[in-house]
Amino acid sequence: MKLTKHFSLEEFSCSTTAKRLKIENKIPDHLMANIQFTANKLELVRKVLAHPIIITSGYRCPALNTQVGGSPTSAHTKGLAVDFHCAYGDPKQICQRLITSGIEFDKLIQEHNQWVHIQFNTTGHHQQVLTAIKQNGKTIYLPGLV
């Protein structure tokens, strides 16, 4: 099912971890408005970056979120966050571009210098920018881009 010109419903629910663990990562009907909202926002991100976006993690059902070590309150479980790659550049370059783009987001995280997490909110835009790093085997979040 096509959500927008460049994004499909399948992209938001596809998960290699879910497939491997045989977890059904079906998006509930009550979250479809959030998924559509996020897809529309990603169209803006794609336009600013001028390159396709590869979603590596979109919606996560509670079981999948637990398996990947996500926070119980993760925006992924609400259909309001995605992790992605883009040929625009490395995660820090992508984040730098999005910060200056004027796109409204709730949270933007450069994660372990491997991917970008972008999170949206239907009621406000905090424009919080973080860098996730591993320290002593645990993920910590530093303010800004490091």
Side-chain angles (χ1 to χ4, degrees):
M1 174 183 157
K2 230 24 176 166
L3 295 169
T4 65
K5 182 177 179 182
H6 297 104
F7 298 102
S8 69
L9 184 61
E10 292 73 25
E11 288 177 274
F12 279 84
S13 62
C14 185
S15 165
T16 55
T17 302
K19 286 178 186 171
R20 182 172 43 82
L21 298 175
K22 298 180 181 8
I23 296 171
E24 185 180 359
N25 193 43
K26 186 175 186 295
I27 300 168
D29 290 342
H30 73 277
L31 293 179
M32 287 305 297
N34 286 354
I35 296 291
Q36 185 67 58
F37 175 80
T38 301
N40 289 335
K41 289 290 199 173
L42 285 181
E43 284 292 342
L44 300 174
V45 170
R46 187 184 194 280
K47 184 175 181 181
V48 163
L49 298 176
H51 286 81
I53 291 171
I54 309 300
I55 297 173
T56 57
S57 181
Y59 170 73
R60 294 184 200 147
C61 68
L64 176 59
N65 192 58
T66 298
Q67 286 298 315
V68 300
S71 162
T73 59
S74 171
H76 284 280
T77 64
K78 299 172 184 113
L80 293 171
V82 297
D83 297 338
F84 71 92
H85 296 281
C86 178
Y88 175 87
D90 66 34
K92 186 173 184 177
Q93 292 168 323
I94 292 168
C95 289
Q96 288 169 327
R97 178 64 186 108
L98 294 176
I99 290 165
T100 62
S101 72
I103 291 175
E104 295 177 330
F105 56 82
D106 194 46
K107 222 179 253 186
L108 183 67
I109 308 173
Q110 174 195 197
E111 299 234 24
H112 313 289
N113 205 29
Q114 294 180 14
W115 68 87
V116 174
H117 168 98
I118 192 163
Q119 179 174 317
F120 303 102
N121 189 322
T122 58
T123 59
H125 313 287
H126 295 101
Q127 303 297 108
Q128 184 179 25
V129 178
L130 301 167
T131 297
I133 62 168
K134 287 277 188 193
Q135 192 171 68
N136 300 323
K138 186 176 179 180
T139 298
I140 62 166
Y141 296 90
L142 305 173
L145 293 178
V146 178

